[in-house]
Amino acid sequence: MAQLSYRDAVSLGIAQEMRRDPNLVMLGEDIAGAGGVFKTTVGLLDEFGPKRIRDTPISEQAILGAAMGAAMTGIPVIAEIMFSDFLAVCFDIVANEMAKSRYMTGGQVTVPVVIRTANGAGSRFGAQHSQSVENWCMMIPGLKVVAPSNPADVIGLMAAAVRDPDPVVFFEHKSLFATKGEVPSGEIVDELGKATTVRTGSDCTIAALALMVPRALQAADRLAEDGISAEVIDLRSLVPLDTRAILGSVVKTGHLFTVEENPRLCGWGAEVASIVAEEAFWDLDGPVVRITTPHIPLPSAEALEDLALPSVERIYETVRTTMD
Amino acid sequence: MYELQQSLRQFEKRAYDLFMENLVKGTSHLSLGMEAVATGFGRAMHSDDYTFATYRGHAHTIARGAPLGPVMAELLGRENGILKGKGGSMHLTSVEHGMMGSYAIIGAHLCIANGAAWSAQMRGTDQVAVAFFGDGTTNIGAFHEALNFAVIWDLPVVFVCENNLYMEYTPIDLVSAVPNPAADRAAAYGLDRIIVDGNDADAVYEVATSVFDRARRGAGPSLVEAVTYRHGGHSRADPGKYRPAEEVEAWLERDPIPMYHQRLLELGVSESELSAIQQSVAERVEEATEFAKQGAVPAADQLFVDVWSDGGASWRN
């Protein structure tokens, strides 16, 4: 076991897969010489060379189009979209092309692309560089959606995403890049669609994703001081969604809280709440409660951005008052 | 090339008849009158080259050798369709024939064709990717992104604008800054200005051969504007009445197929040989129609097949 930053785990995860598959290539803006604007691709150009690690112009449609065309003709691709907000610029390729090709060609076309992108708030970048947009992708049939919360998961889920023949959108969280975690040595390969119970508990379940996982864990520590035993589930992927893990936990605890960074309207928490209402209603001892960002564009000022995102304090207070 | 042009023409005329019989549902975009472009480029391609087309892709699909029966069955939404009834007219694809798809939203496939060309470049093959698109496509961002990207990466890709003078229902010159919407913009990407008579299959073939050679030599992409004309409207719903009668008349005079017929006669091919070709094509179109009509409607369980590469559609456990 070694301590590794989330940022370094990204490049290690990519390197692990590029060593394994000599056909795998990567493209994106500023990823090669510059090592990525978030320094998540440092060292890759040196190890794999300019043919496999390629800088592109600021042309998101061209980037993802090239990724798709290469992937469907035998070359698997990791494509970086610098900020997840920029997915909007190339959403035709994401939502209409990559996601639909297999189905509408009767299974003829396979698109093994991983779209990596920096998601989420906390860097005071304002409304166009801070969004959590995993919901944009979650609602499109044909896309898989992954969002790791710690370095070991970054590597394991990166491997799973690259090895998956279908298009996967891989959300790395900006505010987690500097965080560190234990990473086992050797090859790490995870499975998509498996949530992790990161803390066991008996009184309530908190389902979270990405940056909200460490916050939920801190809130759970404080809840424990009040005698409330919270189970925390890191969903890790939204598609496939590990509903078994959520339902199993709810059956045990009787209470569900979802913590998500998205604006409230149509966030993934609503889907999770709806599944639980349909399939575990009689196991609930109270309403499902969603803790979200309000339905607003994100502000830039530190004080306002902090207020918008679910904080440890807000998670703690919401759970505590609900459980009282 | 005469036979292929006849196949494209007779196939689409039959598809139109089947619309009228209400056997083809949804929409369809015919390329009657534009057959020489698909023919000239199709015949110049190698069997392992890649074709990317738009929603107006029947001709480009058939030109790659996709069988007429399954293509017709797809238009009828049958289980024996080339896409198993899942895609329909606007998404015709036959990977085994190098037909990598018909893309129904303007622009995307130029970028995707770049990727296929990039893959050929990395694999060290001499394959070329060809993206066909209409004049309307030249005004969307993806066109410009794709061209710049292809040039800076020296990709073996050929962009073919089929300029049929109308962006859907609107004359292209009303909505474009330059008279030749593709060729006049080539210089912006360091490319040659290439315009070809899109109703002359031989001229198209010649241009195709030369730009394919360039791509296979590693000399990079080309942008070709083939000027042609749609005999009908934009889609099934459009009778094309917005076009001046004299314009339609003039272009019907330049119908690529009678023109090619005449050229072959002048070269010494007999009328009986040509009518034998027409007849054999008619028989194949008839067989394709029967094949399509006899296809079953897709079974209900097909609704949940092939969202994912494991064959299924599950998004949760």
Side-chain angles (χ1 to χ4, degrees), chain A residues 66 74 88 107 111 151 155 166 243 275 278 286 306:
Chain A
V111 184
I155 300 173
D166 297 312
T243 48
I275 289 168
E278 283 182 357
D306 286 346

Side-chain angles (χ1 to χ4, degrees), chain A residues 23 25-27 51-52 54-75 77 89 92-93 96-97 99 101-110 138 140-144 164-167 193-194 238-245 247 271 275 279, chain B residues 50 52 74 82-88 90-96 99-109 111-123 140-146 148-149 152-155 302-311 313-317:
Chain A
N23 284 323
V25 296
M26 186 174 166
L27 80 173
K51 280 194 172 162
R52 296 183 66 192
R54 290 196 73 160
D55 278 329
T56 67
I58 301 178
S59 301
E60 279 83 8
Q61 296 186 71
I63 292 169
L64 291 192
M68 175 172 165
M72 65 195 273
T73 54
I75 301 284
V77 182
V89 176
D92 175 38
I93 312 260
N96 297 318
E97 315 298 346
S101 284
R102 162 164 286 277
Y103 189 81
M104 71 187 190
T105 63
Q108 290 183 57
V109 172
T110 301
M138 185 189 187
I140 308 291
L143 289 179
K144 292 177 179 170
D164 193 294
D166 297 312
K194 291 265 187 249
L238 295 179
V239 181
L241 184 65
D242 191 352
T243 48
R244 196 177 293 137
L247 292 166
E271 184 62 46
I275 289 168
E279 299 174 31
Chain B
Y50 298 118
F52 292 82
E74 188 60 34
I82 199 160
L83 313 174
K84 301 176 186 167
K86 295 273 194 67
M90 293 202 284
H91 300 296
L92 295 180
T93 303
S94 182
V95 170
E96 65 168 307
M99 175 60 199
M100 303 308 290
S102 307
Y103 297 79
I105 299 175
I106 292 301
H109 72 295
C111 300
I112 300 167
N114 275 345
W118 178 36
S119 140
Q121 190 184 57
M122 282 187 289
R123 287 182 283 109
I140 199 165
F143 168 82
H144 302 275
E145 287 195 22
N148 181 62
F149 194 97
I152 59 169
W153 286 24
D154 288 325
L155 296 177
Q302 284 302 302
L303 198 58
F304 299 102
V305 169
D306 273 334
V307 173
W308 307 119
S309 50
D310 65 6
S314 175
W315 55 272
R316 54 167 287 190
N317 62 21

Side-chain angles (χ1 to χ4, degrees), chain B:
Chain B
M1 291 217 278
Y2 181 75
E3 183 181 3
L4 180 52
Q5 289 183 89
Q6 279 289 346
S7 297
L8 307 182
R9 173 68 53 95
Q10 294 191 34
F11 179 91
E12 287 209 307
K13 279 188 151 176
R14 177 61 56 89
Y16 183 80
D17 293 343
L18 293 170
F19 276 143
M20 293 298 138
E21 294 172 37
N22 204 27
L23 280 168
V24 176
K25 308 289 171 63
T27 187
S28 186
H29 306 77
L30 304 180
S31 52
L32 293 168
M34 300 165 57
E35 293 89 347
V37 184
T39 297
F41 274 97
R43 284 289 180 256
M45 279 181 215
H46 293 177
S47 62
D48 61 349
D49 287 339
Y50 298 118
T51 292
F52 292 82
T54 67
Y55 53 82
R56 199 183 301 283
H58 301 168
H60 299 297
T61 305
I62 295 168
R64 293 309 305 274
L68 297 185
V71 175
M72 193 68 91
E74 188 60 34
L75 303 190
L76 267 61
R78 303 299 168 96
E79 185 185 59
N80 57 349
I82 199 160
L83 313 174
K84 301 176 186 167
K86 295 273 194 67
S89 165
M90 293 202 284
H91 300 296
L92 295 180
T93 303
S94 182
V95 170
E96 65 168 307
H97 296 97
M99 175 60 199
M100 303 308 290
S102 307
Y103 297 79
I105 299 175
I106 292 301
H109 72 295
L110 280 70
C111 300
I112 300 167
N114 275 345
W118 178 36
S119 140
Q121 190 184 57
M122 282 187 289
R123 287 182 283 109
T125 73
D126 73 344
Q127 293 164 287
V128 174
V130 186
F132 297 96
F133 53 94
D135 40 277
T137 301
T138 62
N139 290 322
I140 199 165
F143 168 82
H144 302 275
E145 287 195 22
L147 276 157
N148 181 62
F149 194 97
V151 170
I152 59 169
W153 286 24
D154 288 325
L155 296 177
V157 59
V158 173
F159 301 105
V160 183
C161 173
E162 300 179 274
N163 181 0
N164 61 23
L165 313 187
Y166 285 85
M167 177 210 79
E168 301 200 356
Y169 299 64
T170 303
I172 190 65
D173 58 4
L174 285 185
V175 291
S176 300
V178 288
N180 282 99
D184 290 347
R185 284 149 165 166
Y189 302 101
L191 295 172
D192 290 339
R193 185 178 192 278
I194 305 174
I195 296 178
V196 63
D197 178 355
N199 281 20
D200 181 340
D202 289 336
V204 172
Y205 180 85
E206 209 167 296
V207 165
T209 306
S210 119
V211 293
F212 289 172
D213 282 349
R214 174 185 156 90
R216 292 190 215 286
R217 282 203 313 274
S222 299
L223 172 63
V224 176
E225 181 170 330
V227 182
T228 182
Y229 200 73
R230 226 174 41 205
H231 286 180
H234 165 65
S235 67
R236 182 188 188 187
D238 171 24
K241 296 286 188 207
Y242 43 83
R243 304 179 303 178
E246 55 276 21
E247 178 188 286
V248 177
E249 189 64 29
W251 278 94
L252 285 173
E253 287 292 310
R254 298 202 64 250
D255 186 328
I257 296 176
M259 274 168 45
Y260 208 83
H261 189 109
Q262 188 58 33
R263 179 176 300 162
L264 291 176
L265 290 178
E266 284 161 16
L267 288 169
V269 182
S270 72
E271 185 66 57
S272 64
E273 281 175 88
L274 295 177
S275 62
I277 290 172
Q278 278 185 50
Q279 188 52 41
S280 85
V281 168
E283 283 161 17
R284 286 196 292 119
V285 169
E286 192 55 43
E287 281 165 25
T289 307
E290 282 313 305
F291 176 86
K293 284 180 174 172
Q294 280 162 23
V297 297
D301 61 2
Q302 284 302 302
L303 198 58
F304 299 102
V305 169
D306 273 334
V307 173
W308 307 119
S309 50
D310 65 6
S314 175
W315 55 272
R316 54 167 287 190
N317 62 21

